[in-house]
Amino acid sequence: MTRHERGYDIRSLQGLTSNTRDRSGKRGDPMGKYFHESTFDSHYDGRFAESALPNEERQIHLSHLLRTYLATMNDLGAETWIMHGSLLGWWWNRKIMPWDSDIDVQVTEASLAYLAAYHNMTVHHFAIPAVVGDSTATGPKGSEGRNYLLEVNPHYENASPGDILNVIDARWIDMATGLFIDITALRKDVAAEKAGVPGRMLCKDRHHYLSTDIFPLRESMFEGTPVRVPYAYQELLEEEYGKKALTVTQFHGHVFEQEKMMWVPKFGLAVGP
Amino acid sequence: MSYRAGTYDDSHRPLIDLIPNDSLYVSDEEDGFYDGEDNYLINPKWKASVQRVCNHIPRRLQRYLAIYIGLLVAAWLVWQTFFSASYNEHQQQIALMDSTTKETFGSNLRPHFKHMIQVGTMDKKHLPVEDKRLIVIGDVHGCKEELQALLEKVGFDADNDHVILTGDMINKGPDSPGVVSFVEKIGASSVRGNHEDRILLTITDMENSHVALPGPQENANRTNDTLEEESFSQGDYKIRKLAKKFSKKQIAWLRERPVILRVGHVHGMGDVVVVHAGLVPDIPLEQQDPYQVMNMRTIDLKTRVPSENRDGTPWEKFWNHRQKKLPSHKRMTVIYGHDRKRGKNIQKYSKGLDSGCVGGGHLTALVIDSKGKNKYVQVKCKQYID
């Protein structure tokens, strides 16, 4: 195995991280797994952070993470759109839901190949002003703003969902906080096509869709940034989360206040679903 | 043995007469034996009167009565086994349609999209007054000949009549660009159908130069596109091919068509709106989910979530039910297309006009005059698709 296939460890990222110790869960991970979640929280990259953020602070960084990702993909001309929990957040009020700890995006196979060929391991700098309560407003080496890393899993060429160690095709990583976005490619379901059922698509994470439910994409706004959403957004949400997810206004310790069009935390509400 | 005369004479009288008091013996077979105890089923007096009445009814009539009672029991059994369930379901449906729940569809911030107009308003000058008419036409799907034949049949007069299309004027049929040009020429109104929506999104995607650029050196202004194989529409080449047939002007016109067209107040019909597929009752037009307005067929009554599949209650059934609950000035009549399977579907507050023209059915026009009179005119269509 080449070093490339084993992933870039903390030594190869010198000067790009403020971490002194590698907190990645690499040692505990099976051989052949490319991306390593941190030892302290599966939503962080242990090469760039040593601890998790407090909840409210995390949401600010998630928003930055999302906006920088969307802007970069747009600049590079890569086609991406939101799915799962992020799509549900968009549907309710075009914002990340306050209890959501990650962001879900998909890209086309062609876009992924393009990112892998030309933009893998590129660092993208954004002049993001400091936010109140933000302990990581300045990036490593005291530079203003923040750096993000685009890293593609070399196993992306293996389209098989059987490659369970590498269901994530790429990551967009906040190099100051270790937070990241998992990027998965939506691929043609070649097996179904051979069996005479065209128009089916799947991801390595085993989610599968009809291409006509995803494409053509629609242009909307999410967290104040242009975003693409799948064609049949509501049908997809209903299939994944059920009708109730589109009607219930008390969820996860929050109430959806229609005057504000916001999920507001409510004391005394159960945090579980 | 000697008999005295006197004794002899006595012997000629029946012995019973010799019993001094005949009340000693009481027979239990006599009617009065059980008198004073209330253990009879029917009071003998009533029984007697019933019998008396029965004797007056002819035997034949009595037989019929027995047959009728038998039939009644049979009918009840049939009701219980076959219809009771669906009747209960119907009652339940009514109860659900009447219920008001707080957690219902439409509480979210309505999805908003680039290049999509949610609500448009028809110019008041087109409202049917005096000898003006409104002509609303169902899904044309590129059937230009049939559209023109229909307008001829209703005696379309460009000075007095205004045409409104319920969307899906393009795709499937023989001449989509021709229909757009013609409709634009006669100054018709239209709404955005799911087919216009898909084509317009595809066109926008084709205009954006993204996906698999062969590298940063690539000229951004290239005219040929190499995206054919891998791009967005993922093999939906038919849509792509059709998208290329429209001129810039036609595309611009199509983009301006709203998802919902507010026609205004029509005498005898109240407020009239035109959409392609349907509306969810009790949600303001601005708040209606645009995807569903272009795609819905049914509504789940419990959650009020609309859907394009047919599992729930037909949206128009719910719509009509809810309109009748509103004060008359708040009621709204929806004219729509989209549902070829249910075909022409006319109810008090909903008028479905898609009668499957492109599949060899009919193209339907609803002609509304200034008195609010509705007239339906149809032409037969050639079969262009299965």
Side-chain angles (χ1 to χ4, degrees):
Chain A
M1 236 183 234
T2 64
R3 184 172 129 185
H4 173 67
E5 276 163 343
R6 275 182 288 125
Y8 295 88
D9 64 15
I10 195 158
R11 267 171 300 159
S12 57
L13 294 167
Q14 264 174 23
L16 288 169
T17 171
S18 54
N19 268 27
T20 48
R21 286 179 54 198
D22 185 9
R23 292 290 193 149
S24 81
K26 187 177 179 178
R27 229 182 300 170
D29 281 341
M31 281 291 282
K33 182 167 169 17
Y34 181 78
F35 284 122
H36 308 287
E37 291 74 36
S38 79
T39 49
F40 55 86
D41 189 319
S42 65
H43 288 112
Y44 292 80
D45 186 327
R47 297 169 300 175
F48 300 104
E50 301 197 16
S51 63
L53 295 162
N55 270 4
E56 291 126 65
E57 218 176 289
R58 183 194 64 203
Q59 294 314 106
I60 300 167
H61 294 296
L62 275 182
S63 180
H64 286 317
L65 191 64
L66 171 86
R67 286 185 284 162
T68 53
Y69 168 76
L70 292 174
T72 306
M73 293 302 120
N74 197 41
D75 286 352
L76 299 180
E79 198 170 22
T80 189
W81 59 95
I82 49 171
M83 286 299 272
H84 312 301
S86 298
L87 187 62
L88 189 58
W90 166 83
W91 190 86
W92 274 99
N93 62 354
R94 292 173 223 148
K95 285 186 167 63
I96 300 167
M97 294 181 293
W99 58 85
D100 223 357
S101 52
D102 59 5
I103 289 157
D104 302 290
V105 299
Q106 291 179 353
V107 293
T108 56
E109 257 181 306
S111 293
L112 180 65
Y114 164 66
L115 293 176
Y118 297 100
H119 299 284
N120 191 16
M121 294 311 284
T122 49
V123 175
H124 303 258
H125 184 79
F126 284 84
I128 293 167
V131 186
V132 181
D134 182 354
S135 53
T136 56
T138 38
K141 288 186 164 180
S143 60
E144 283 301 312
R146 196 173 305 199
N147 291 329
Y148 294 87
L149 174 68
L150 178 65
E151 185 170 6
V152 181
N153 187 336
H155 299 275
Y156 85 90
E157 281 172 304
N158 175 3
S160 166
D163 183 15
I164 52 164
L165 295 176
N166 295 293
V167 297
I168 306 304
D169 290 305
R171 260 178 194 168
W172 177 253
I173 307 159
D174 179 347
M175 297 169 77
T177 65
L179 280 169
F180 54 79
I181 297 179
D182 280 337
I183 304 166
T184 49
L186 186 64
R187 302 155 187 271
K188 239 184 213 160
D189 189 341
V190 183
E193 201 165 58
K194 271 184 190 156
V197 194
R200 293 195 173 270
M201 321 261 332
L202 52 81
C203 290
K204 281 174 87 172
D205 59 14
R206 292 183 187 270
H207 282 104
H208 50 89
Y209 310 92
L210 287 175
S211 71
T212 48
D213 278 352
I214 307 283
F215 303 105
L217 299 168
R218 301 176 182 278
E219 289 177 79
S220 187
M221 298 294 274
F222 189 40
E223 290 282 332
T225 303
V227 73
R228 288 195 170 79
V229 297
Y231 176 79
Y233 53 91
Q234 190 205 304
E235 305 278 339
L236 291 170
L237 287 173
E238 220 185 293
E239 201 175 301
E240 186 167 359
Y241 300 105
K243 289 185 171 71
K244 282 258 162 104
L246 307 179
T247 61
V248 169
T249 50
Q250 293 200 357
F251 196 74
H252 219 287
H254 289 72
V255 172
F256 191 76
E257 285 192 5
Q258 272 189 286
E259 304 79 56
K260 296 183 194 161
M261 283 291 171
M262 289 254 286
W263 288 101
V264 180
K266 191 176 176 192
F267 184 74
L269 266 187
V271 171
Chain B
M1 210 166 145
S2 66
Y3 296 98
R4 282 178 301 159
T7 317
Y8 178 77
D9 282 343
D10 278 3
S11 66
H12 281 268
R13 291 168 59 198
L15 286 175
I16 197 149
D17 289 347
L18 300 177
I19 294 169
N21 189 349
D22 65 354
S23 65
L24 285 175
Y25 174 74
V26 180
S27 166
D28 65 354
E29 280 173 55
E30 275 176 34
D31 280 341
F33 183 78
Y34 291 110
D35 270 2
E37 295 176 43
D38 290 328
N39 62 350
Y40 46 79
L41 264 162
I42 303 164
N43 188 312
K45 283 179 200 159
W46 300 353
K47 203 173 171 181
S49 66
V50 165
Q51 224 148 30
R52 228 175 299 127
V53 171
C54 278
N55 289 341
H56 284 292
I57 300 171
R59 279 267 159 150
R60 198 155 38 130
L61 219 61
Q62 287 186 35
R63 254 202 315 277
Y64 279 138
L65 202 70
I67 290 169
Y68 285 139
I69 289 170
L71 282 174
L72 212 67
V73 170
W76 180 78
L77 280 171
V78 167
W79 164 266
Q80 276 299 312
T81 38
F82 297 108
F83 299 109
S84 167
S86 63
Y87 176 76
N88 287 342
E89 208 173 282
H90 174 74
Q91 289 296 312
Q92 228 167 354
Q93 209 175 40
I94 299 279
L96 275 174
M97 289 200 285
D98 286 337
S99 72
T100 43
T101 106
K102 229 183 145 196
E103 296 209 319
T104 172
F105 185 76
S107 311
N108 61 322
L109 187 60
R110 192 258 299 166
H112 189 278
F113 302 105
K114 207 171 159 185
H115 300 310
M116 188 192 281
I117 299 166
Q118 172 84 359
V119 184
T121 307
M122 192 190 76
D123 196 325
K124 273 197 171 68
K125 69 181 183 193
H126 298 311
L127 282 171
V129 286
E130 288 156 24
D131 55 352
K132 283 185 187 170
R133 299 185 302 173
L134 275 181
I135 301 166
V136 194
I137 299 174
D139 304 26
V140 176
H141 278 304
C143 302
K144 190 183 168 190
E145 279 176 29
E146 282 82 353
L147 175 62
Q148 289 173 332
L150 182 61
L151 285 177
E152 202 165 304
K153 195 169 174 184
V154 301
F156 173 66
D157 163 17
D159 295 330
N160 276 326
D161 298 337
H162 184 67
V163 173
I164 305 173
L165 293 150
T166 61
D168 277 11
M169 66 182 92
I170 58 167
N171 206 8
K172 293 185 180 177
D175 189 6
S176 294
V179 167
V180 175
S181 289
F182 176 72
V183 164
E184 202 186 340
K185 199 182 81 194
I186 62 169
S189 300
S190 177
V191 291
R192 187 173 173 130
N194 55 314
H195 282 272
E196 281 88 15
D197 189 38
R198 199 176 270 280
I199 282 281
L200 287 170
L201 290 169
T202 304
I203 289 167
T204 305
D205 235 337
M206 286 161 76
E207 285 169 354
N208 294 340
S209 61
H210 56 71
V211 177
L213 302 175
Q217 301 86 358
E218 175 80 12
N219 174 12
N221 298 320
R222 74 215 150 86
T223 45
N224 66 319
D225 74 292
T226 50
L227 315 178
E228 207 75 41
E229 288 306 315
E230 294 287 350
S231 88
F232 56 86
S233 50
Q234 299 291 334
D236 208 344
Y237 299 121
K238 269 191 192 163
I239 294 284
R240 253 180 97 87
K241 212 176 134 197
L242 176 62
K244 285 177 182 162
K245 285 189 185 167
F246 293 104
S247 69
K248 279 213 159 69
K249 190 167 165 258
Q250 290 173 329
I251 295 165
W253 185 82
L254 282 171
R255 266 193 192 134
E256 293 295 311
R257 299 312 105 205
V259 175
I260 302 170
L261 179 71
R262 220 193 278 268
V263 171
H265 190 84
V266 174
H267 181 75
M269 287 179 86
D271 270 334
V272 174
V273 293
V274 177
V275 297
H276 178 58
L279 292 172
V280 181
D282 309 322
I283 296 178
L285 298 181
E286 273 296 341
Q287 262 294 313
Q288 296 275 342
D289 181 277
Y291 177 81
Q292 289 300 349
V293 174
M294 294 184 279
N295 289 278
M296 79 169 76
R297 290 196 180 90
T298 59
I299 293 179
D300 174 68
L301 292 183
K302 273 188 194 134
T303 54
R304 310 275 157 97
V305 176
S307 172
E308 56 190 310
N309 67 37
R310 299 187 184 275
D311 299 338
T313 303
W315 77 269
E316 71 275 6
K317 182 177 184 177
F318 187 32
W319 179 266
N320 278 280
H321 185 90
R322 294 302 293 184
Q323 297 311 302
K324 286 167 196 160
K325 304 269 157 184
L326 293 172
S328 55
H329 69 276
K330 281 190 174 168
R331 295 178 193 176
M332 200 179 259
T333 300
V334 186
I335 310 175
Y336 67 103
H338 189 57
D339 203 340
R340 169 157 82 114
K341 227 173 167 180
R342 279 208 285 271
K344 186 182 142 196
N345 182 352
I346 309 305
Q347 301 189 28
K348 178 114 210 284
Y349 298 103
S350 67
K351 321 278 175 191
L353 300 182
D354 187 4
S355 39
C357 177
V358 74
H362 293 86
L363 188 62
T364 303
L366 162 57
V367 184
I368 306 166
D369 66 15
S370 59
K371 292 181 191 81
K373 214 182 98 196
N374 292 1
K375 196 173 87 183
Y376 296 90
V377 182
Q378 291 190 323
V379 291
K380 176 86 182 122
C381 306
K382 279 184 218 159
Q383 186 174 355
Y384 298 101
I385 59 157
D386 289 329

